[in-house]
Amino acid sequence: MPNTQDPTPMKPFIAGNWKMHKTAGEAVAFAQALAGELNAAQDRDIVIAPPFTALHAVSRSLAGSGIKVAAQNLHWEREGAYTGEISAAMAVEAGCSYAIIGHSERRKLFGEKDEEINRKLKSVLASGLGPIFCIGENLEDRDAGRTLAVLGSQLRKGLDSLTRRDIMETVIAYEPVWAIGTGRAATPGQAQEAHAFIRQTLGKMFDAPPAGIPVIYGGSVSPGNIRSLMEQPDINGVLVGGASLDVDSFVRIVNFDK
Ligand code: PGA
């Protein structure tokens, strides 16, 4: 189902997920170089997600640049005896505007389940941050023809009892697990099929076609493949890992159509 409900095209939403890369010093130097290159890029949303230790310094160094900062993960409680965790309120104070929730590395390496992800999404939304909610099938699911069933289940469990207003603040990232860090991106056709399904499912869940919700693609996005992905009607942006760690490569991705 193409995104025919919205006659005005959405601003491209381009986010870089740095994972466990860059010290605070390296991150600030990178952010300043990026801000210099991307001055006044008002026609797209640009977000970077440094490690926790760099959030505060990076948000300060990006003040006035229009580039926003995201946390890569958060706990659902505001505070408490949760050694090693960070809350949404802390991320807000550190200058974040978004939080990535449910990334496949969190699900796979740290055992995050849909129910925890749902709690995290609610906490992020209550704190005023915008969640970037990641879903995606693994290779076994795809080979068995279960891709859309898996996406449907992750959406229903992850977004359980969210309101229509909540969903309008949310960015959905479709990240097929087999495409992350492998150099093997989904084809534009595979990604479009998943994105159209996600949009259709959101429409059913929230009782209207939510054409205004960005659905972005992640998994081996590069300066070489971004354009063909962004040409798809239901792909509104990208979540970039490896290729966001280099200023030149990330700038080329942000400026994919210029
Ligand atoms: P990648 O990572 O671009 O390195 O494949 C994407 C992600 O994990 O968000």
Side-chain angles (χ1 to χ4, degrees), residues 4 9 29 37 47 79 84 86-87 92 103 109 115 119 129-130 132 137 140 150 153-154 176 194 228 250:
T4 48
E37 293 284 334
V47 178
E79 59 185 13
I86 302 284
S87 75
V92 169
H103 189 278
L109 304 175
E115 292 67 25
R119 294 176 81 174
L129 293 173
I132 301 173
E137 81 287 1
E140 200 187 334
V150 167
S153 162
Q154 289 174 338
S228 59
F250 192 57

Side-chain angles (χ1 to χ4, degrees), residues 6 32 90 108 110 140 159 166 187 201 215 235:
D6 186 0
Q32 281 168 348
M90 294 169 187
K108 191 169 150 206
F110 302 97
E140 200 187 334
L159 300 173
D166 290 335
T187 64
T201 305
V215 184
I235 300 185

Side-chain angles (χ1 to χ4, degrees), residues 14-93:
I14 316 276
N17 173 14
W18 292 0
K19 310 190 179 184
M20 198 170 75
H21 292 282
K22 300 191 192 293
T23 64
E26 291 163 350
V28 167
F30 186 103
Q32 281 168 348
L34 199 62
E37 293 284 334
L38 295 175
N39 228 348
Q42 302 296 347
D43 56 345
R44 52 211 63 203
D45 289 310
I46 306 167
V47 178
I48 54 175
F52 289 138
T53 47
L55 289 176
H56 193 239
V58 166
S59 352
R60 269 209 309 210
S61 79
L62 287 175
S65 71
I67 302 172
K68 303 269 173 46
V69 173
Q72 297 176 14
N73 172 44
L74 293 173
H75 195 268
W76 58 82
E77 293 290 354
R78 191 184 161 82
E79 59 185 13
Y82 301 100
T83 301
E85 295 290 328
I86 302 284
S87 75
M90 294 169 187
V92 169
E93 198 195 58

